[in-house]
Amino acid sequence: MKNIDTITVDIIENALKNIKEEMDVTLFRSAMSPVIREQHDCFPMITDAEGQMVVGNFGSHVPEVVNQFPEGVHKGDVIFVSDPYSCGGSISHVNDWMVILPIFSGEELVGYSSMFGHVMDVGGPVPSSMPVTATSIYGEGVRFPPVKLFEKGQLNESIIRIIKANTRTPMENYSDLMAIVASCRTAEKRVQELCERFGIDTYFGALEALLERTNKMMRELITNFLPTEPVSFEDYIDDDGLGNGPFKMKLTIWREGDHAYFDWTGTDKQSPGPINYYLSEPMFKMFIGSFLISVFDPAINFNDGFYDVLHIESPEGTLMRPVEPAALGCRTHALSRLFDVLSGALSINTPENSPAAGYGTSPYFIYSGYDQDGRYFNLMEVMYGGLPGRPIGDGLDGHSWWPAFVNIPTEYLETYYPLRVEYYRTGKDSGGAGMNRGGNCNEKLYTCLAKGTVSIHDDRSTLQPWGINGGEPGGSSSKTLIRKDGSKQKLDSKVDNIEVEPGDQILFITGGSGGWGDPLERKPEQVCMDVKRELVSLEKAKESYGVVLNPSTLEIQREETVELRNQMRRLRGNLEAFNFGNRADVVKV
């Protein structure tokens, strides 16, 4: 490696981080689908010439994809892929469209830019292409193995025609794809400018230094926070939408020196339904790194430099490593629950240092049909829930488990789709009680203004998000169809093609999250404020926190509170490290 001063390394590092942000901005301003444009369901990446991610939000898949082109890559090439099985699971279902663009400075390959985003519809039997009843990936829509969308600068029009012929939203899909390409071209231009400014050798030296820096810091995290003896933790997905389940996800972790080991042995076999998650090794390493860095040292730059110190075992034929052509469309339940399992495993020996469980999925609301003017509409909205109570404070109310995601503004929904949002709020009492309260869920009431169909993807409807270190579990999710005549019908958490008429309503309630720490240790003033903000009810303040408030003024009744808390401490048993709520009633061992 060329000797390079740390200031230059820092300048190039921050330039690359800014380029990554510019990729996002380019995409958000160009895409048409609200899931990308408004909710930011996309993941950028910039790599070195070998395909190692230097900055980005997901593990590098570049070598595996590029090696499928024996002719190599050239200036002007743009690779497109939407098949999880063709890229080792780096994208997790066929709605994720990924682009890889080689970056040349002069005639030398200096790296790759890549971006993938969730497009609205890729065909298949149901709108938005994530059928709950799918039993293989063949029933989930059109998938593309790695192909050259552009070859030496020339657009392959045949690919565009195939795309447009196999989607309910051809205009949106085409625009989204070109926006993804544009974001990668933005990175291409900016990286070329860096190479011109500093020289290719200096640029390469900085990338190598960044990777080595992250490697060294990750080794320190592993040594400081991972156990030397194997520890295991398990959590469950409710069901697969076809009547099967619950499905166990089990993870065992340990370290040997400064190397970490993660073993999914004991996880249930792959599901007949579409909740399988094809977990690529690089992607899981990325998740581990993201989790460890965000929890223990957010200052570390997130890149592929630490991958050689992580070792993954994921048995084939299981929920986390299904065999092709297993269905993958509803994989977000396993994808999100992965973080709860990882958190639980890391907290076995030190529950006081780890968060509780969150809402553990990625809920989808899908509404499609024809409006009063005969125009086709297809809405897919990602919903959020409670993030867990943590050692440093309360969990976030109604937040995405992925930090960069945001909600679709109500004004956008009501402008572009035939629906009305009656209210969008956090669900009172859905966050588990604790010294640090679990985040509350989201409650959203939609009124449908056009005839159409509704599909729902969610989880945590039967198994609660667990509390930790004495905290209570969070609330479960639920869905209700309210007909315009006032009659109500409970809906499953995974269901397709519910027919709705103008005036019908859908009440969509997501899962809450677990609390952290003894609820009786929470300051009465905090509980009082939660009640005033309508996050906690008077009843829960008294029953879970032992805080007595005046029903009229909401002032703390000090003497009654002290007396009640002392009584609750005397009567209760020892607090457990984990409170799994109703798990024993649902899971049959």
Side-chain angles (χ1 to χ4, degrees):
M1 180 180 74
K2 175 181 177 179
N3 289 330
I4 182 170
D5 63 273
T6 56
I7 293 177
T8 301
V9 173
D10 289 343
I11 291 173
I12 292 177
E13 176 185 18
N14 284 287
L16 290 170
K17 289 179 177 178
N18 288 337
I19 293 169
K20 179 173 73 77
E21 298 298 325
E22 191 175 355
M23 291 176 71
D24 281 339
V25 171
T26 301
L27 180 60
F28 301 155
R29 291 181 176 178
S30 307
M32 290 189 66
S33 299
V35 175
I36 297 177
R37 183 181 184 89
E38 300 294 333
Q39 298 207 274
H40 303 171
D41 190 350
C42 59
F43 296 87
M45 179 176 71
I46 301 170
T47 82
D48 63 11
E50 286 72 43
Q52 296 183 95
M53 182 181 72
V54 183
V55 297
N57 290 341
F58 63 103
S60 180
H61 48 270
V62 168
E64 184 168 1
V65 173
V66 169
N67 289 340
Q68 297 182 45
F69 295 91
E71 75 276 16
V73 294
H74 307 92
K75 283 185 179 180
D77 286 354
V78 176
I79 297 170
F80 167 55
V81 59
S82 70
D83 176 23
Y85 291 113
S86 295
C87 59
S90 294
I91 53 174
S92 54
H93 68 155
V94 294
N95 290 74
D96 286 338
W97 282 8
M98 181 164 65
V99 163
I100 301 172
L101 188 153
I103 302 173
F104 290 84
S105 180
E107 299 302 316
E108 186 167 0
L109 178 69
V110 296
Y112 297 85
S113 60
S114 183
M115 172 75 80
F116 75 79
H118 182 122
V119 298
M120 294 291 289
D121 184 278
V122 292
V126 300
S128 293
S129 310
M130 293 179 290
V132 170
T133 56
T135 56
S136 81
I137 198 168
Y138 300 121
E140 295 181 325
V142 175
R143 55 180 175 147
F144 285 86
V147 293
K148 288 189 177 180
L149 179 65
F150 288 82
E151 188 161 8
K152 296 182 179 179
Q154 184 67 37
L155 175 64
N156 189 333
E157 296 284 357
S158 296
I159 294 175
I160 300 300
R161 287 196 293 271
I162 293 170
I163 286 173
K164 288 183 175 180
N166 286 280
T167 175
R168 299 169 179 85
T169 55
M171 180 173 64
E172 290 88 343
N173 283 24
Y174 174 76
S175 298
D176 291 347
L177 180 58
M178 291 300 109
I180 293 171
V181 173
S183 73
C184 292
R185 292 199 192 282
T186 297
E188 176 189 31
K189 181 179 180 181
R190 296 291 180 252
V191 169
Q192 289 170 341
E193 292 171 351
L194 278 179
C195 291
E196 291 171 6
R197 176 183 175 187
F198 292 98
I200 292 176
D201 289 344
T202 299
Y203 179 72
F204 282 167
L207 301 192
E208 189 172 344
L210 290 173
L211 293 167
E212 288 185 357
R213 181 189 292 175
T214 299
N215 183 284
K216 179 181 178 181
M217 298 178 79
M218 182 59 70
R219 288 175 185 266
E220 293 180 3
L221 280 186
I222 290 170
T223 302
N224 291 335
F225 295 105
L226 265 63
T228 55
E229 295 296 324
V231 294
S232 300
F233 191 84
E234 57 193 46
D235 205 344
Y236 294 80
I237 298 172
D238 290 348
D239 63 275
D240 67 350
L242 297 178
N244 307 299
F247 289 87
K248 179 170 66 176
M249 294 172 57
K250 181 178 180 179
L251 179 63
T252 302
I253 66 172
W254 72 96
R255 71 173 176 89
E256 296 176 9
D258 56 5
H259 282 237
Y261 295 80
F262 300 81
D263 187 350
W264 287 100
T265 299
T267 295
D268 280 347
K269 293 181 180 179
Q270 66 189 62
S271 161
I275 64 167
N276 302 293
Y277 178 42
Y278 185 31
L279 181 62
S280 74
E281 252 190 51
M283 187 66 78
F284 185 46
K285 288 180 178 180
M286 180 274 290
F287 289 146
I288 295 167
S290 174
F291 184 89
L292 291 176
I293 288 171
S294 63
V295 171
F296 298 116
D297 194 347
I300 298 177
N301 181 39
F302 180 53
N303 60 38
D304 283 4
F306 58 82
Y307 280 19
D308 65 314
V309 301
L310 303 181
H311 307 273
I312 312 299
E313 178 65 31
S314 187
E316 192 172 67
T318 63
L319 193 70
M320 308 303 286
R321 193 62 181 261
V323 176
E324 187 177 3
L328 307 173
C330 304
R331 84 286 175 227
T332 52
H333 312 306
L335 168 58
S336 306
R337 194 65 49 79
L338 176 154
F339 289 101
D340 288 338
V341 177
L342 180 59
S343 174
L346 288 169
S347 67
I348 290 292
N349 293 330
T350 56
E352 67 277 6
N353 291 333
S354 296
Y359 66 105
T361 183
S362 188
Y364 291 155
F365 172 75
I366 300 166
Y367 174 40
S368 60
Y370 291 88
D371 64 18
Q372 293 179 342
D373 298 321
R375 291 176 298 191
Y376 181 74
F377 64 90
N378 185 1
L379 168 66
M380 196 208 82
E381 181 180 13
V382 183
M383 299 287 284
Y384 308 130
L387 295 191
R390 305 162 289 168
I392 62 172
D394 295 344
L396 301 179
D397 300 307
H399 201 280
S400 170
W401 61 269
W402 198 261
F405 284 19
V406 296
N407 67 296
I408 301 178
T410 296
E411 295 83 358
Y412 185 102
L413 291 174
E414 295 183 341
T415 298
Y416 292 103
Y417 297 96
L419 59 77
R420 186 170 63 246
V421 178
E422 304 296 343
Y423 58 76
Y424 183 32
R425 64 194 185 195
T426 59
K428 186 184 294 185
D429 290 343
S430 56
M435 188 178 87
N436 296 326
R437 179 178 56 81
N440 280 344
C441 71
N442 275 340
E443 295 182 352
K444 198 164 191 175
L445 180 62
Y446 301 91
T447 296
C448 301
L449 302 179
K451 182 177 181 179
T453 61
V454 166
S455 296
I456 288 170
H457 295 194
D458 202 359
D459 203 65
R460 290 286 195 203
S461 63
T462 56
L463 288 159
Q464 295 174 272
W466 39 268
I468 195 169
N469 198 35
E472 294 183 359
S476 299
S477 65
S478 67
K479 313 292 174 290
T480 306
L481 170 63
I482 307 170
R483 295 293 186 186
K484 57 185 175 182
D485 63 5
S487 60
K488 296 182 180 181
Q489 175 187 347
K490 284 290 184 182
L491 300 176
D492 293 335
S493 64
K494 303 170 184 66
V495 61
D496 282 334
N497 291 331
I498 300 296
E499 295 185 357
V500 292
E501 299 286 341
D504 290 346
Q505 295 181 317
I506 300 289
L507 176 58
F508 199 119
I509 300 177
T510 62
S513 62
W516 185 97
D518 184 354
L520 299 185
E521 296 298 321
R522 187 170 178 83
K523 294 179 179 178
E525 291 77 12
Q526 291 178 287
V527 178
C528 179
M529 184 60 67
D530 286 339
V531 173
K532 290 180 178 179
R533 291 174 175 171
E534 299 187 352
L535 301 173
V536 172
S537 66
L538 278 167
E539 294 75 18
K540 190 171 183 67
K542 183 176 182 179
E543 294 170 5
S544 292
Y545 292 99
V547 174
V548 183
L549 301 175
N550 184 304
S552 301
T553 64
L554 298 185
E555 292 181 353
I556 302 170
Q557 307 296 291
R558 299 287 179 180
E559 293 183 5
E560 291 89 337
T561 295
V562 171
E563 182 179 347
L564 177 58
R565 284 188 159 188
N566 288 336
Q567 180 184 9
M568 292 172 69
R569 288 189 179 97
R570 287 194 304 270
L571 296 178
R572 73 184 183 187
N574 293 328
L575 294 176
E576 298 182 355
F578 298 94
N579 186 336
F580 295 107
N582 62 351
R583 176 184 290 188
D585 299 328
V586 179
V587 176
K588 307 302 179 184
V589 180

